[in-house]
């Protein structure tokens, strides 16, 4: 449900005829216009990153691994790991989605020194590609 909410808020168009993927990847959602894979996952699925990297390389897409974290205390929250495609995919882990000026952003959940990202219909943009987030918005 969290992955579908991200797709809806970002107004992404999913491929109606997705490419044939390996069986373990059948639940991946593909937004080709945004060059993005959206992968719903379980918090315990630590090995998913390697599987997703293979599909990222084949499709030349970035990836969002979306999960619902269940902390010992407090409310459940959505966390996203962001994979940036490249010769060697780079992962940014533990981001939380937030809506800023009607645009979906991903900000670090714990480490404020990590870059922020914005999701548009054309894909992910790093903080260097758009105005830096003001701390008053977070």
């Amino acid at each position: 449900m969290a992955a579908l909410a991200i797709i809806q808020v970002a107004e992404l168009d999913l491929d109606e005829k997705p490419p044939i993927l390996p069986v373990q990847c059948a639940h991946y959602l593909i937004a080709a216009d945004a060059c993005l894979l959206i992968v719903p996952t379980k918090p315990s699925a630590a090995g998913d990153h390697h599987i997703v990297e293979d599909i990222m390389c084949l499709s030349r897409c970035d990836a969002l691994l979306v999960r619902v974290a269940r902390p010992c205390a407090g409310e459940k929250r959505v966390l996203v790991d962001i994979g940036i495609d490249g010769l060697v995919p780079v992962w940014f882990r533990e981001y939380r989605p937030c809506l800023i000026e009607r645009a979906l952003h991903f900000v670090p959940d714990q480490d404020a020194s990590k870059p922020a990202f914005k999701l548009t219909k054309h894909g992910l943009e790093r903080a260097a590609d758009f105005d830096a987030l003001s701390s008053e918005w977070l």
Side-chain angles (χ1 to χ4, degrees):
M1 296 299 276
L4 292 174
I6 288 171
I7 291 165
Q8 184 177 11
V9 169
E11 299 177 345
L12 298 176
D13 295 321
L14 293 178
D15 285 0
E16 291 182 19
K17 293 184 179 182
I20 297 173
L21 298 174
V23 173
Q24 71 267 28
C25 305
H27 63 288
Y28 289 18
L29 305 170
I30 302 169
D33 292 344
C35 295
L36 188 66
L37 301 171
I38 302 97
V39 183
T41 188
K42 297 176 184 173
S44 62
D48 281 357
H49 290 83
H50 296 294
I51 296 167
V52 173
E53 284 178 8
D54 291 341
I55 303 303
M56 287 170 63
C57 291
L58 289 172
S59 64
R60 300 187 191 275
C61 288
D62 295 332
L64 299 177
L65 266 71
V66 182
R67 67 186 181 282
V68 175
R70 293 180 173 89
C72 296
E75 296 182 20
K76 297 177 188 175
R77 63 178 189 241
V78 174
L79 288 178
V80 176
D81 289 353
I82 299 169
I84 303 298
D85 181 43
L87 201 51
V88 176
V90 176
W91 287 98
F92 298 89
R93 297 177 191 243
E94 294 194 357
Y95 277 71
R96 58 185 164 86
C98 63
L99 206 53
I100 300 172
E101 294 182 353
R102 298 186 334 193
L104 186 59
H105 290 76
F106 297 100
V107 295
D109 188 49
Q110 302 289 328
D111 183 358
S113 67
K114 294 180 188 176
F117 293 86
K118 178 167 69 172
L119 181 57
T120 71
K121 290 184 96 164
H122 303 289
L124 285 168
E125 298 176 9
R126 284 194 200 197
D129 300 332
F130 62 91
D131 293 335
L133 296 174
S134 169
S135 60
E136 65 191 47
W137 292 340
L138 301 177

